[in-house]
């Protein structure tokens, strides 16, 4: 495993010499940090299945993040460094333990800053019998090069498309280039992965799920996001699974950036109506009242 001496794993391209212990913008240095590994029951149904079942998505939450979302519901691990140092060998064991425990897939949440460890762990685990689909759960802020590097490793992209406006993305996630970067990355994901493929039980085996979280006061940006997604579907000729989310809760510093409330039914209805108009209906749309505690598990180092 070769650690970056001039890190360009994410679009920040901060150049940190992580091999020498320097910490990048993402908060990661020369060690792998994981905050939780467990079956998760609240992803999209094609990943998690029945929330009352003993199975679920085998989710691994990594510490740090390449974005700085002011409303992040996972802020203890994304922004505050909660997590435990482990080795790539231990990570490979975690993958196998999740498989043995009934996971339907291995779900890597915000893993890009640890790409060298992750690919090594996947190689080891597959050599030892890992056979589950690999889900890459990302905020969408990825370089095309990183997406390409994960060809052969990732079966399912679970990607956010957060913003269409660079002004909004700069204000809320400290990433003015987010819209252009996410669009290029998503285009590559679609072309690289292809149309959704399901098993006989309805679990996704390959494909792309695109999430969009509707934010209070930003309905126009959500409408623009949906239009971009429809254009990408037409351009690539590749269908994907849209997942429109209404679960926004004003976590972390949200209120300091004008996000101190939940989205209204009227706002969300406008987003849904636009999705229907564009034909982005072959996926999931949350109920307005769907926000619940289970979406944010305790980062208690379980399974690590």
């Amino acid at each position: 495993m070769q650690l970056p001496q001039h890190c360009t794993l994410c679009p920040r391209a901060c150049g940190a010499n992580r091999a020498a212990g320097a910490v990048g913008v993402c908060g990661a240095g020369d060690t792998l940090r994981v905050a939780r590994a467990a079956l998760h029951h609240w992803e999209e149904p094609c990943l998690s299945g029945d929330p009352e079942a003993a199975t679920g998505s085998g989710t691994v939450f990594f510490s740090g993040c390449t974005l700085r979302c002011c409303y992040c519901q996972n802020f203890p691990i994304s922004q505050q460094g909660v997590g435990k140092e482990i080795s790539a060998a231990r990570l490979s064991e975690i993958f196998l333990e999740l498989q043995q425990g009934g996971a339907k897939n291995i779900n890597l949440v915000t893993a890009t800053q640890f790409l060298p460890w992750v690919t090594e762990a996947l190689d080891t685990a597959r050599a030892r019998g890992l056979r589950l689909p690999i889900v890459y759960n990302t905020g969408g802020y990825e370089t095309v090069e990183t997406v390409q590097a994960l060809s052969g490793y990732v079966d399912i992209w679970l990607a956010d498309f957060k913003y269409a406006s660079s002004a909004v993305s700069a204000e809320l996630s400290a990433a003015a280039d987010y819209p252009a970067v996410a669009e290029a990355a998503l285009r590559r994901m679609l072309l690289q992965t292809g149309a959704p493929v399901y098993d006989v039980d309805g679990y996704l085996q390959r494909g792309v799920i695109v999430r969009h979280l509707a934010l209070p006061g930003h309905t126009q940006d959500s409408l623009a996001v949906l239009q971009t997604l429809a254009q990408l579907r037409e351009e690539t000729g590749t269908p994907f699974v849209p997942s429109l989310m209404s679960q926004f809760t004003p976590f972390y510093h949200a209120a300091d950036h004008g996000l101190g409330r939940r989205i209204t039914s009227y706002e969300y209805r406008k987003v849904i109506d636009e999705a229907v108009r564009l034909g982005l209906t072959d996926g999931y749309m949350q109920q307005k009242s769907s926000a619940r505690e289970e979406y944010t598990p305790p980062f208690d180092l379980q399974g690590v």
Side-chain angles (χ1 to χ4, degrees):
M1 176 174 57
Q2 185 171 358
L3 302 188
Q5 295 182 346
H6 183 83
C7 194
T8 58
L9 288 175
C10 87
R12 303 282 185 189
C14 69
N17 185 354
R18 293 176 56 196
V23 175
V25 173
C26 61
D30 61 353
T31 56
L32 169 64
R33 294 181 65 84
V34 172
R36 180 179 169 87
L39 296 181
H40 191 46
H41 304 287
W42 299 107
E43 303 288 29
E44 283 73 5
C46 64
L47 297 179
S48 294
D50 183 349
E52 302 301 323
T55 56
S57 181
T59 307
V60 181
F61 289 88
F62 294 87
S63 302
C65 186
T66 61
L67 288 171
R68 287 289 177 266
C69 300
C70 65
Y71 53 89
C72 182
Q73 66 181 22
N74 295 345
F75 67 89
I77 64 170
S78 67
Q79 312 290 340
Q80 298 177 344
V82 170
K84 177 182 177 182
E85 291 185 8
I86 64 171
S87 64
R90 173 59 190 142
L91 183 59
S92 70
E93 292 172 355
I94 288 170
F95 295 157
L96 293 168
E97 289 166 5
L98 288 168
Q99 177 173 268
Q100 186 175 5
K104 293 295 185 179
N105 45 66
I106 299 298
N107 186 346
L108 309 175
V109 183
T110 317
T112 294
Q113 62 272 22
F114 297 116
L115 201 60
W117 291 266
V118 168
T119 52
E120 179 175 308
L122 285 171
D123 286 338
T124 301
R126 283 174 167 168
R128 295 177 57 193
L130 180 67
R131 60 185 183 279
L132 298 177
I134 305 302
V135 180
Y136 207 77
N137 192 330
T138 167
Y141 194 56
E142 305 286 354
T143 67
V144 169
E145 291 75 18
T146 290
V147 175
Q148 291 172 325
L150 285 164
S151 178
Y153 288 100
V154 172
D155 303 291
I156 299 164
W157 291 93
L158 178 55
D160 292 342
F161 202 109
K162 296 178 182 290
Y163 318 106
S165 163
S166 59
V168 175
S169 63
E171 168 72 17
L172 302 183
S173 294
D177 60 346
Y178 179 94
V181 167
E183 182 176 346
L186 180 56
R187 182 181 291 107
R188 183 68 250 164
M189 293 172 194
L190 291 168
L191 293 171
Q192 188 166 297
T193 310
V197 176
Y198 299 85
D199 69 9
V200 294
D201 296 316
Y203 287 97
L204 190 63
Q205 302 298 293
R206 187 170 182 84
V208 180
I209 300 174
V210 184
R211 285 175 168 171
H212 176 66
L213 175 64
L215 298 174
H218 292 283
T219 302
Q220 290 304 312
D221 194 58
S222 286
L223 302 185
V225 165
L226 295 177
Q227 290 157 15
T228 298
L229 295 181
Q231 290 165 5
L232 275 172
R233 181 185 59 185
E234 181 176 357
E235 173 193 329
T236 63
T238 306
F240 56 86
V241 181
S243 182
L244 300 183
M245 305 167 71
S246 63
Q247 70 187 57
F248 175 80
T249 303
F251 285 107
Y252 198 39
H253 298 306
D256 298 334
H257 295 265
L259 300 176
R261 62 173 175 85
R262 300 280 182 90
I263 190 171
T264 66
S265 296
Y266 175 72
E267 288 172 317
Y268 191 53
R269 184 72 254 170
K270 288 182 69 175
V271 176
I272 294 299
D273 287 347
E274 181 68 354
V276 171
R277 186 186 74 81
L278 293 168
L280 296 173
T281 54
D282 191 17
Y284 304 101
M285 297 180 183
Q286 284 185 330
Q287 296 295 318
K288 169 63 177 62
S289 60
S290 64
R292 51 197 303 171
E293 283 185 14
E294 292 94 329
Y295 292 150
T296 307
F299 300 117
D300 51 8
L301 307 185
Q302 178 180 339
V304 180

